[in-house]
């Protein structure tokens, strides 16, 4: 089976006002000029999705949300449904990011429900998993990560487009990254679980690495076995840095 194109997705987190659309426009223009080997996505705050779709819709840059509610509509003040993200112009959605697991108590079961909602709305989920530093130091990395993969991916995703992002919590926004051996070890373990869960389809699911990815380390990380792209936080906010990573893929 041929490997799918890697996916380089930028997670802007709670950053970005109208002026930030220029960074996205610069990314879209550069990609238009020199089409990259990778798929490229930008996940801005929900407030910018429709304006981003107007600014760069139809270019090679896909647009994603950063979270969604599992329900389709209702009395859930402040929340956003997967259908609303799709309606605004998103085609992807990040789910189960560690900042949501830690800050909002999101469990694997909730993340799985959200992934089901994403599928219902026609969005491609990027489901995040990753161990804390205490878990790694206790030698529990593979147990934690594979458990999260098993619990966060609903059966309905069988045969559907989705990806998994391995993001060690201690590597996010810290400038620290695991060794290349450590990254590969976890990706290979995630692949084994995906094949167990989804058989042949599991072999082609992209497993992104995330956590302090930058232009200077992207190339060596993206070459590793079973690394099928990157989820990029801080370095996705500036077009020049993000393009450096895209070119490395
Ligand atoms: P970072 O964030 O690249 O700033 O470490 C990655 C993420 O949280 O997705």
């Amino acid at each position: 089976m041929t490997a799918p194109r890697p996916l380089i997705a930028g997670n802007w987190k709670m950053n970005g006002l109208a002026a930030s659309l220029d960074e996205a426009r610069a990314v879209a223009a550069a990609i238009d000029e020199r089409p990259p080997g990778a798929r490229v996505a930008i996940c801005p705050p929900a407030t910018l999705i429709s304006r981003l779709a107007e600014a760069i819709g139809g270019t090679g840059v896909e647009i994603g949300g950063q979270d969604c509610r599992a329900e389709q509509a209702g009395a859930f003040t402040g929340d956003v449904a997967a259908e609303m993200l799709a309606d605004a112009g998103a085609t992807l959605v990040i789910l189960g990011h560690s900042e949501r697991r830690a800050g909002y108590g999101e469990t694997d079961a909730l993340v799985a429900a959200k992934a089901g909602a994403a599928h219902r709305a026609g969005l491609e989920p990027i489901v995040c998993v990753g161990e804390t530093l205490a878990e790694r130091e206790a030698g529990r990395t593979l147990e934690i990560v594979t458990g999260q993969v098993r619990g966060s991916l609903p059966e309905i995703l069988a045969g559907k487009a989705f990806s998994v992002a391995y993001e060690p919590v201690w590597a996010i926004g810290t400038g620290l990254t695991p060794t290349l051996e450590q990254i590969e070890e976890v990706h290979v373990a995630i692949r084994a679980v995906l094949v167990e869960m989804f058989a042949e389809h599991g072999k082609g699911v992209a497993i992104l690495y995330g956590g302090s990815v930058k232009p200077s380390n992207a190339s060596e990380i993206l070459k590793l076995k079973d690394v099928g792209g990157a989820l990029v936080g801080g370095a996705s906010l500036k077009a020049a840095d993000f393009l450096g990573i895209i070119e490395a893929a």
Side-chain angles (χ1 to χ4, degrees), residues 11 13 97 99 167 171-174 210-213 231-235:
N11 173 11
K13 309 193 180 185
H97 190 282
E99 285 153 17
E167 300 202 302
I172 294 175
T174 58
S212 298
V213 176
L231 184 54
V232 184

Side-chain angles (χ1 to χ4, degrees), residues 116-150:
H119 168 257
R120 183 187 67 216
L123 297 177
E124 181 179 329
I126 301 172
V127 176
C128 304
V129 297
E131 82 288 1
T132 62
L133 187 57
E135 288 162 346
R136 176 162 284 277
E137 285 174 351
R140 299 182 58 211
T141 298
L142 296 184
E143 167 205 335
I144 294 292
V145 169
T146 57
Q148 288 174 333
V149 172
R150 282 200 179 86

Side-chain angles (χ1 to χ4, degrees), residues 36-164:
R39 291 172 64 195
V40 176
I42 294 178
C43 305
T47 48
L48 285 183
I49 290 176
S50 63
R51 274 182 285 177
L52 193 59
E54 277 165 31
I56 62 164
T59 69
V61 181
E62 301 170 53
I63 299 170
Q66 299 176 7
D67 176 44
C68 69
R69 176 106 196 172
E71 290 81 358
Q72 195 160 356
F76 304 110
T77 302
D79 285 351
V80 176
E83 282 75 6
M84 294 169 180
L85 298 175
D87 185 51
T91 54
L92 300 139
V93 61
I94 298 168
L95 295 173
H97 190 282
S98 67
E99 285 153 17
R100 297 209 57 90
R101 288 180 185 262
Y104 298 87
E106 292 197 4
T107 60
D108 291 341
L110 181 63
V111 175
K114 291 180 175 201
H119 168 257
R120 183 187 67 216
L123 297 177
E124 181 179 329
I126 301 172
V127 176
C128 304
V129 297
E131 82 288 1
T132 62
L133 187 57
E135 288 162 346
R136 176 162 284 277
E137 285 174 351
R140 299 182 58 211
T141 298
L142 296 184
E143 167 205 335
I144 294 292
V145 169
T146 57
Q148 288 174 333
V149 172
R150 282 200 179 86
S152 306
L153 297 174
E155 276 173 25
I156 191 136
L157 293 181
K160 309 292 176 346
F162 71 93
S163 48
V164 173

